[in-house]
Amino acid sequence: MKKYQLNNFGLFLCFVVLILASCTAEFVPDPIDPRLPKYTEDGNNVAGAYVGDNIWESSVTIGFPYYASDKPSIKVWQEKDSLRLRFVGNVDKEQLAIEFHLTELGMIQFEDLINLNGQKISLDGTNNLAYLKANYLSSTNNKGIGQVYFRNVRHSKDKSSIIISGTFGFALSDYYEYPLKVRSGRFDYRIYETDFNPEEN
Amino acid sequence: MKAKTFGFLLILLIVFTVKAEAQLYIHSNLAYSNIRNDISIENKEALLGYNYGISIQYYPFRNTEKLSLINELNISRKGYRQKFGEEYEFKFNYLSFPVVFDYSLSDNVSFQTGLEPSWMIDSNVEEWKDTYNKFDLALIFGASFFNQKRWSLYTRFTYGVLPMLDYHEIDDLGNFKDEAHDLKNISVAVGIKINIGNEKISIK
């Protein structure tokens, strides 16, 4: 009986270790500016950018003991054929998400994410949009004009996830209508099918 | 394979055709270490590095007693830091094999110049193996004082000639610029040497 309990505990430990190992972020500092993550294509679950003169850094703290709400969020609206990418992070410890709304990409199911590979998408403020959102609420309705570049999108080796790596940069006006630049952004996320949420219309 | 065999034979030839007295030293120094860079590295500052190792000094050239060769085996720390409110240190540990020509001006002073090939063996930077080039090559210029005594002083300027980093900068919009080959080690060191023995290494 005692042995059976130990085995269960061992399994639980393995489960916790697996969750932590598979979901934590690995921050590799950029050799030019160590406050930002280096651009990588390894699924390190990190992102970073300059927002004005400040550093925006991702906060991916998935699984035990954290909430799952810090995951990169990907939603698709099949009817409208649009894709929403939300990267959660903070500036000076204030939560700030960077969000992209992209259309006409043909995103219907998880595997379609692979089609993003190599796409450099112009954020024109009309069809393709970028937002800064504080506390998950739109801090401004101003739409960013710029670019998001999905430089490398591929399956992970074990095919369980898709690794999306790329860069972004855009300009918009802040809450007080002052011009604000989001510069030299980079992201490297491991996306699982459970992160890909078709929105019910 | 042939190149390796040739290199090994060449080393044997140099070592075993030399008829010379050799001095063995252990040495250690503290170094003011930094990098040279073309791309912008903001708020860059020097780091206190170090170097320690063993060396053998011998006189392989006939009729030129003032000229000698020094082979060294060193562990050295180089690097730099950046300050953005918080301090970020970049420390690189190298295993190096300098080959140095030493010219004695007098019993007490000699000048040195040579090459320092090095291999990065460790760093405090996460995933350093994927970020930095492991092989480094530097020019060495230096001086040594009181060589005839058991304890002597030396100073050394190390000037890296190979880039540590092959990197694509990302512009404001997220475009990748041309690959930059940049960041070269540089250091100024002051240290002590201890003569631990005189050996005969001549084999005809």
Side-chain angles (χ1 to χ4, degrees):
Chain A
M1 186 63 184
K2 200 172 184 179
K3 192 177 177 184
Y4 177 72
Q5 285 175 334
L6 276 174
N7 282 342
N8 271 349
F9 182 68
L11 282 171
F12 172 73
L13 274 181
C14 287
F15 178 69
V16 169
V17 167
L18 273 174
I19 285 177
L20 291 175
S22 63
C23 299
T24 51
E26 181 164 18
F27 185 94
V28 180
D30 184 277
I32 308 299
D33 188 336
R35 297 172 298 171
L36 292 175
K38 178 189 169 191
Y39 174 77
T40 54
E41 298 177 349
D42 303 322
N44 286 343
N45 285 328
V46 291
Y50 297 101
V51 174
D53 294 328
N54 299 308
I55 297 290
W56 174 83
E57 56 182 352
S58 60
S59 53
V60 178
T61 47
I62 310 163
F64 179 85
Y66 303 104
Y67 299 109
S69 58
D70 285 349
K71 279 179 168 181
S73 161
I74 294 190
K75 285 188 181 293
V76 291
W77 284 265
Q78 292 176 19
E79 192 176 295
K80 295 176 184 172
D81 186 24
S82 67
L83 171 74
R84 189 187 77 187
L85 282 166
R86 176 189 285 163
F87 300 143
V88 182
N90 57 69
V91 172
D92 285 339
K93 296 178 183 172
E94 293 289 326
Q95 203 164 58
L96 186 73
I98 291 178
E99 198 165 300
F100 301 101
H101 294 200
L102 311 172
T103 59
E104 297 174 4
L105 293 171
M107 292 289 145
I108 295 170
Q109 55 189 4
F110 177 63
E111 289 296 321
D112 294 335
L113 282 176
I114 290 293
N115 298 332
L116 290 172
N117 186 37
Q119 289 209 44
K120 200 176 266 191
I121 298 169
S122 175
L123 303 167
D124 54 13
T126 309
N127 295 317
N128 299 311
L129 314 169
Y131 293 100
L132 287 180
K133 292 193 171 186
N135 297 320
Y136 302 112
L137 300 171
S138 180
S139 56
T140 168
N141 285 320
N142 294 322
K143 295 152 187 168
I145 308 289
Q147 174 182 286
V148 58
Y149 178 23
F150 296 93
R151 193 173 194 236
N152 188 284
V153 180
R154 62 181 172 86
H155 285 104
S156 62
K157 280 182 185 169
D158 61 5
K159 305 283 183 191
S160 66
S161 60
I162 289 176
I163 293 170
I164 59 168
S165 311
T167 59
F168 57 88
F170 54 89
L172 75 174
S173 299
D174 68 7
Y175 186 77
Y176 303 102
E177 298 297 324
Y178 287 114
L180 182 66
K181 275 190 174 179
V182 177
R183 299 179 290 120
S184 304
R186 67 284 310 267
F187 58 88
D188 180 21
Y189 285 111
R190 191 177 291 264
I191 306 295
Y192 292 88
E193 192 154 8
T194 50
D195 303 323
F196 188 85
N197 304 309
E199 188 79 3
E200 290 179 10
N201 293 289
Chain B
M1 191 63 191
K2 278 183 179 175
K4 279 185 181 174
T5 308
F6 176 76
F8 181 67
L9 288 174
L10 188 65
I11 290 167
L12 284 181
L13 189 70
I14 291 169
V15 171
F16 292 121
T17 57
V18 164
K19 181 184 179 182
E21 291 286 331
Q23 281 92 49
L24 294 173
Y25 294 94
I26 56 173
H27 57 261
S28 177
N29 69 49
L30 287 176
Y32 179 85
S33 180
N34 210 330
I35 49 159
R36 294 185 292 125
N37 53 288
D38 293 324
I39 49 182
S40 172
I41 305 283
E42 288 182 56
N43 307 321
K44 181 189 71 172
E45 290 184 2
L47 192 74
L48 188 64
Y50 59 79
N51 176 308
Y52 60 89
I54 58 172
S55 62
I56 181 169
Q57 181 172 12
Y58 53 99
Y59 301 82
F61 309 108
R62 290 178 184 176
N63 305 321
T64 52
E65 289 180 356
K66 289 186 172 183
L67 190 61
S68 61
L69 265 177
I70 302 172
N71 289 113
E72 299 180 0
L73 173 62
N74 296 331
I75 298 286
S76 55
R77 168 167 289 176
K78 297 174 182 175
Y80 65 101
R81 62 184 169 190
Q82 283 178 275
K83 278 187 175 174
F84 296 99
E86 206 175 327
E87 194 170 281
Y88 298 85
E89 291 191 330
F90 296 78
K91 297 173 181 173
F92 309 109
N93 296 326
Y94 287 94
L95 180 65
S96 60
F97 305 89
V99 179
V100 180
F101 286 94
D102 180 286
Y103 184 80
S104 290
L105 281 182
S106 69
D107 284 351
N108 287 326
V109 180
S110 66
F111 285 111
Q112 298 167 342
T113 185
L115 282 175
E116 182 185 78
S118 308
W119 280 264
M120 199 185 291
I121 53 174
D122 194 19
S123 171
N124 69 326
V125 180
E126 197 76 28
E127 289 196 7
W128 59 273
K129 287 181 183 173
D130 294 333
T131 303
Y132 298 99
N133 294 325
K134 286 185 273 300
F135 180 69
D136 193 23
L137 186 68
L139 301 174
I140 288 173
F141 306 96
S144 192
F145 307 97
F146 316 117
N147 283 337
Q148 304 301 318
K149 299 187 175 175
R150 181 170 170 78
W151 290 67
S152 57
L153 292 172
Y154 72 100
T155 181
R156 178 169 289 182
F157 175 56
T158 308
Y159 187 83
V161 293
L162 292 183
M164 300 169 64
L165 184 69
D166 302 317
Y167 188 69
H168 290 275
E169 274 190 277
I170 297 170
D171 72 9
D172 284 0
L173 266 182
N175 296 307
F176 286 78
K177 296 181 185 176
D178 290 339
E179 190 173 31
H181 308 280
D182 205 1
L183 307 195
K184 291 164 186 166
N185 278 309
I186 190 168
S187 68
V188 179
V190 177
I192 54 170
K193 284 197 299 187
I194 306 169
N195 187 338
I196 56 172
N198 296 304
E199 299 292 332
K200 208 164 218 163
I201 61 167
S202 63
I203 298 175
K204 286 182 181 177

